């Protein structure tokens, strides 16, 4: 039996052609026309003027923190329920992460707990310097409330939209709400450049700084002059060529992902699927849901893997990670409950009708429908 994946790369018809063109023109470098074109494509999609294409989503978050001048003794609030890439840049900067619980509706950061955390930090004399929020599995977070809090306390938002390219709230795209938005084009994401990322900002100064820091912080002199240190974070023009092809199929991929979600949702009422509030639009990168309890969830993962079908628990919250065992956490047990009972189902756009039938049969038997 062929393996069925959670989410594997899916090339359109032009990626190969664009990469060949890169070879023909010898722009095999972290600079070139496809890099500029890819940035323009992202800008058009997200509705933010300034875009820097980078080697990963993690490096994009790192640059955002560096540009905000976040360092030792600074607090960064971060959604606990997420992938490590959201949080590890806080450690790169020697800052202190404090984690915040999710809310039941979207599974993303709870605005009430976020405000409680901010007030408590301020009372203790150390106002947080940034808030990292995530749109998990493509579902937009409660941005109205979050933006209000950000404005009220004057704390900038870094919007981790790694999983949510093309998702929106009332047609305002994820990644366009905060001071910074970040995207990932890793191999498992809705579109991919094998590895890649982007930082977007409404402020051109921010992206100019990001470009400078992403290319080793070289000053303008002909010799290499350095007043500060940077990173080698710029995306290759070769990979940007893949990205240009992938942007052409983004809307098609979203349609396919949403069809996969609709299929599961209409077939399996035993699973409590991630909600899409009114006015919200998720790209449904992964179809995720909650089962009765941990035992049932673990059984389902084991059963699917017996048939060579990949599935996984939801992200293990950062405050439960051994790495962050001494980090502070605000909230109750919502992100823990999501982790204990939640499952990511195969959401691969490369699945055939036959593959979906194979999954259906197993699920029908599992739930004894
Ligand atoms: C994938 C991902 C990242 C990191 O992106 P990379 O390109 O793999 O560095 C960050 N946050 C979330 C929520 C992700 O899913």
């Amino acid at each position: 039996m062929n393996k069925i994946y959670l989410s594997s790369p899916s090339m359109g018809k032009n990626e190969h052609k664009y990469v060949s063109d890169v070879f023909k023109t010898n722009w095999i470098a972290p600079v070139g026309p496809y890099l500029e074109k890819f940035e323009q494509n992202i800008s058009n999609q997200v509705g933010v003027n300034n875009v820097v294409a980078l080697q990963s989503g993690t490096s994009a978050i790192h640059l955002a923190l560096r540009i905000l001048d976040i360092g030792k003794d600074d607090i960064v609030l971060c959604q606990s329920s997420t992938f490590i890439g959201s949080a590890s840049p806080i450690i790169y900067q020697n800052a202190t992460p404090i984690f915040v619980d999710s809310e039941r509706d979207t599974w993303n950061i709870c605005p009430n707990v976020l405000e409680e955390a901010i007030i408590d930090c301020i009372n203790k004399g150390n106002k947080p310097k940034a808030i990292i929020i995530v749109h998990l599995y493509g579902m937009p977070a409660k941005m109205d409330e979050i933006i209000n809090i950000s404005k009220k306390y004057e704390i900038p938002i870094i919007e981790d939209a790694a999983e949510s390219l093309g998702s929106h709230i009332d047609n305002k795209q994820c990644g366009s709400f905060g001071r910074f938005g970040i995207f990932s084009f890793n191999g498992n994401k809705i579109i991919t450049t094998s590895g890649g990322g982007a930082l977007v900002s409404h402020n051109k100064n921010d992206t100019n700084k990001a470009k400078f820091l992403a290319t080793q912080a070289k000053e303008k002199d002909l010799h290499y002059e350095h007043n500060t240190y940077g990173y080698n974070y710029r995306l290759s023009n070769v990979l940007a060529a893949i990205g240009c092809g992938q942007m052409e199929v983004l809307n098609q991929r979203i349609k396919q992902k949403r069809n996969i979600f609709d299929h599961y949702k209409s077939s399996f009422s035993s699973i409590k699927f991630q909600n899409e509030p009114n006015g919200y639009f998720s790209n449904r990168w992964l179809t995720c849901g909650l089962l009765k309890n941990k035992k049932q969830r673990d059984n389902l993962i084991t059963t699917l893997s017996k048939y060579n079908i990949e599935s996984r628990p939801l992200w293990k919250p950062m405050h439960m990670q051994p790495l962050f065992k001494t980090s502070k956490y605000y909230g109750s047990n919502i992100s823990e409950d999501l982790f204990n009972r939640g499952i990511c189902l195969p959401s691969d756009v490369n699945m055939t009708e036959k593959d979906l039938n194979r999954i259906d049969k197993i699920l029908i038997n599992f739930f004894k429908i």
Side-chain angles (χ1 to χ4, degrees), residues 171-182:
N171 288 319
K172 190 168 164 50
Q173 293 283 318
C174 285
S176 72
F177 290 88
R179 163 85 180 263
F180 292 100
I182 78 97

Side-chain angles (χ1 to χ4, degrees), residues 55-59 61 82-86 134 136 160 162-163 182-186 188-189 195-197 285 315:
Q55 284 175 6
S56 67
T58 309
S59 57
I61 297 178
T82 188
F83 173 63
I84 186 74
S86 310
V134 189
L136 277 185
D160 181 345
E163 301 175 358
I182 78 97
F183 295 95
S184 169
F185 307 107
N186 196 37
N188 58 344
K189 298 300 194 308
W285 169 56
W315 298 125

Side-chain angles (χ1 to χ4, degrees), residues 19 33 67 104 123 144 166 175 198 222 228 235 238 250 275 348:
V19 172
I67 292 164
R104 288 267 171 214
N123 287 342
D144 271 0
L222 187 56
T228 184
L235 187 71
V238 184
L250 174 64
N275 186 39
D348 192 357

Side-chain angles (χ1 to χ4, degrees), residues 121-258:
C121 290
I122 291 173
N123 287 342
K124 289 187 170 125
N126 197 352
K127 182 174 134 177
K129 275 229 174 147
I131 303 165
I132 299 175
I133 66 105
V134 189
H135 308 293
L136 277 185
Y137 308 113
M139 187 61 66
K142 291 284 167 76
M143 290 317 292
D144 271 0
E145 288 99 320
I146 294 167
I147 293 290
N148 282 340
I149 292 168
S150 158
K151 283 190 180 142
K152 182 170 168 190
Y153 296 96
E154 299 182 318
I155 306 173
I157 290 172
I158 300 168
E159 212 185 326
D160 181 345
E163 301 175 358
S164 59
L165 183 63
S167 300
H168 52 82
I169 303 172
D170 296 328
N171 288 319
K172 190 168 164 50
Q173 293 283 318
C174 285
S176 72
F177 290 88
R179 163 85 180 263
F180 292 100
I182 78 97
F183 295 95
S184 169
F185 307 107
N186 196 37
N188 58 344
K189 298 300 194 308
I190 190 156
I191 61 163
T192 180
T193 57
S194 73
L199 180 71
V200 311
S201 168
H202 293 285
N203 181 342
K204 195 159 184 61
N205 279 340
D206 283 342
T207 46
N208 283 344
K209 267 189 219 161
K211 276 183 196 166
F212 173 74
L213 290 171
T215 52
Q216 305 286 20
K218 297 191 285 270
E219 300 296 338
K220 293 216 158 57
D221 315 69
L222 187 56
H223 69 267
Y224 285 164
E225 180 85 2
H226 299 277
N227 294 313
T228 184
Y229 65 93
Y231 316 88
N232 184 3
Y233 276 172
R234 202 75 162 109
L235 187 71
S236 160
N237 189 58
V238 184
L239 300 183
I242 300 177
C244 288
Q246 286 275 275
M247 287 302 282
E248 293 170 5
V249 295
L250 174 64
N251 285 331
Q252 194 186 329
R253 295 290 171 270
I254 294 173
K255 224 176 255 159
Q256 290 168 301
K257 293 280 192 186
R258 286 180 64 90

